[in-house]
Amino acid sequence: MKIEENVSLAAHSTMRLGGNARYLADVNNQQELQELIAWAKPYNLPVIMIGRGSNIIWRDEGFNGLVLVNKIMGKALLAEDNHSATLKIFSGENWDKTVGWAVDKKLTGIEYMSLVPGTVGAAPVQNVGAYGGELSDSLLELEAYDNQFGAFVKLQNHECGFSYRSSRFKTTDRGRFFIISITLTLRKTDPVPPFYESLQRYLDEHGIHKYTPKTIRKAVIDIRQNKLPDPEKVANNGSFFTNPVVDTAKFEALRAKYPDIKGWPTSDGRMKIAAGWLVETAGFKGVRDEPTGMATWPAQALVLVNEHARRTTDLLEFKQKILFKVEELFDVILEQEPELLPQI
Ligand code: EPU
């Protein structure tokens, strides 16, 4: 076990901000995980496990505990029949490579989430989703270390509390479970329309009429590469706000004032508004905020990028400017999507 001391956490967030971790260690397997947790116990140190930091913003104060960087690797085909296949993937694996691996096997279910940055273990936490698909549609079960009871557990899909961009791992049981592996059930039939609007438009414009996991993956990759910054090159956490849900009366009132507002009905009879539209209409698309060093991405206002911010407080200050304007204009309070850690 190699435990480093006073490590900058900026390298462990694709927003590249934040203070130091008191201790940090890589975890390669379940045994190492148990050993590291046992090491931290006598010191009463809080322990958290992270992937590649694609959806994490660290506070400037840093983390006065032990950060475990998930490097638990491996993937296998567990079972298959004529209709479906069951795959097990360990949580340190790269998410997009996993999608590519499933697509190469001609399996359908996660191709919509191609090129989403991060690890497999992070995917259930925010119930990762894109272009009309989300992880909870394909996840059978997952294995996790329950830090509250000190034991490895299996959680079935219905026990994960999944909803739009959320799960129990992000809400009621934040920090309690360290995800070890996920098991997916994917179909052997090709994806079928209706597809997400912008995806269908892309397919039509490119004359793609044969819908396979491979053609959909290729289309999603192309759309994303044109619209979203690559976190390897530009510091960002993807969508910074979730799409807010309002009741129909409120949506209609907004539509009367802003006829081009973008929104979709939800399954519970309310309306989800495109946060990107709200941020853009509030005047924040492609805006560079010199005092904070933050900006919004020119091709997608929902993505905040760190151009030369030095502290997380700079980012939070810029976020506040957007929140204030959006609330003032639309009376809607946007919610941050990436996790601010440590929680206080
Ligand atoms: N829009 C604007 N201005 C903008 C951005 C978007 O008017 O600057 C409008 C678009 O014209 C469109 C609508 O908003 O009518 C929705 O935009 P888009 O399809 O780009 O999707 P999104 O709602 O902005 C969500 C996810 C993304 C995911 C895409 C595609 C959330 C918070 N974001 O974005 O997820 O890739 O749909 O499915 O749900 C992420 O979570 O990090 C992420 C990138």
Side-chain angles (χ1 to χ4, degrees):
M1 284 192 315
K2 186 167 163 265
I3 301 170
E4 291 176 275
E5 239 182 300
N6 294 324
V7 182
S8 165
L9 285 165
H12 294 275
S13 159
T14 54
M15 195 59 100
R16 291 180 208 135
L17 291 171
N20 285 356
R22 172 114 174 258
Y23 300 102
L24 183 139
D26 284 355
V27 177
N28 296 292
N29 52 52
Q30 277 154 273
Q31 197 193 327
E32 277 186 15
L33 175 66
Q34 279 177 304
E35 286 170 9
L36 285 158
I37 291 170
W39 174 84
K41 208 171 174 95
Y43 304 103
N44 261 330
L45 284 174
V47 181
I48 49 177
M49 187 153 89
I50 62 164
R52 298 297 166 273
S54 307
N55 211 40
I56 297 175
I57 295 161
W58 296 104
R59 294 179 193 273
D60 293 319
E61 295 77 9
F63 183 63
N64 190 19
L66 171 64
V67 174
L68 302 177
V69 182
N70 188 342
K71 301 273 171 76
I72 308 175
M73 308 302 256
K75 41 186 184 295
L77 174 70
L78 290 188
E80 62 181 320
D81 61 21
N82 290 338
H83 313 287
S84 67
T86 307
L87 308 174
K88 178 172 176 172
I89 309 110
F90 284 89
S91 50
E93 291 284 345
N94 173 276
W95 170 259
D96 181 59
K97 281 196 182 136
T98 302
V99 176
W101 177 67
V103 166
D104 284 345
K105 295 184 185 303
K106 299 191 169 57
L107 296 171
T108 296
I110 53 173
E111 62 284 357
Y112 302 107
M113 290 159 270
S114 290
L115 217 63
V116 169
T119 56
V120 164
V125 178
Q126 56 155 326
N127 187 18
V128 48
Y131 301 100
E134 52 186 15
L135 180 73
S136 55
D137 302 335
S138 306
L139 186 126
L140 179 68
E141 60 180 25
L142 58 80
E143 268 180 303
Y145 181 79
D146 182 345
N147 205 20
Q148 188 173 323
F149 290 102
F152 289 97
V153 292
K154 259 188 191 172
L155 299 174
Q156 301 304 306
N157 183 311
H158 71 270
E159 294 172 297
C160 296
F162 288 128
S163 60
Y164 163 66
R165 286 295 193 283
S166 189
S167 72
R168 70 188 285 189
F169 312 113
K170 198 177 161 178
T171 53
T172 48
D173 285 313
R174 223 177 140 183
R176 173 173 162 189
F177 295 101
F178 299 155
I179 296 166
I180 304 296
S181 73
I182 64 171
T183 303
L184 303 175
T185 304
L186 302 177
R187 298 183 302 280
K188 289 192 172 173
T189 47
D190 280 334
V192 281
F195 297 124
Y196 191 83
E197 198 185 312
S198 59
L199 175 59
Q200 186 66 62
R201 204 178 319 125
Y202 177 97
L203 295 167
D204 294 343
E205 282 170 10
H206 290 77
I208 299 162
H209 304 297
K210 191 166 161 39
Y211 307 135
T212 66
K214 196 171 168 184
T215 58
I216 299 293
R217 171 169 166 79
K218 200 166 166 292
V220 168
I221 288 177
D222 204 25
I223 298 172
R224 288 188 77 101
Q225 281 177 338
N226 281 313
K227 231 177 52 173
L228 298 168
D230 176 355
E232 297 280 325
K233 299 186 187 121
V234 180
N236 81 93
N237 281 134
S239 291
F240 196 83
F241 301 107
T242 50
N243 292 323
V245 176
V246 298
D247 60 42
T248 319
K250 167 126 194 199
F251 185 78
E252 286 312 325
L254 282 171
R255 182 147 65 186
K257 214 168 162 193
Y258 303 97
D260 67 335
I261 191 170
K262 303 273 190 322
W264 315 267
T266 59
S267 53
D268 62 355
R270 298 194 292 159
M271 288 297 284
K272 191 186 268 183
I273 310 179
W277 182 90
L278 294 170
V279 176
E280 176 174 351
T281 311
F284 280 97
K285 189 173 191 167
V287 162
R288 304 177 99 147
D289 188 60
E290 276 311 315
T292 59
M294 293 296 303
T296 48
W297 192 241
Q300 167 59 292
L302 202 47
V303 178
L304 268 57
V305 304
N306 166 13
E307 292 198 320
H308 57 84
R310 284 176 304 131
R311 293 161 307 150
T312 300
T313 44
D314 294 329
L315 157 67
L316 298 178
E317 200 181 306
F318 183 55
K319 166 192 156 179
Q320 216 48 47
K321 291 183 188 176
I322 299 174
L323 282 189
F324 180 80
K325 197 73 200 167
V326 167
E327 190 181 357
E328 186 184 60
L329 287 177
F330 310 108
D331 191 27
V332 169
I333 298 174
L334 290 176
E335 282 195 28
Q336 183 173 318
E337 205 268 312
E339 270 195 284
L340 185 62
L341 287 177
Q343 59 184 117
I344 45 174

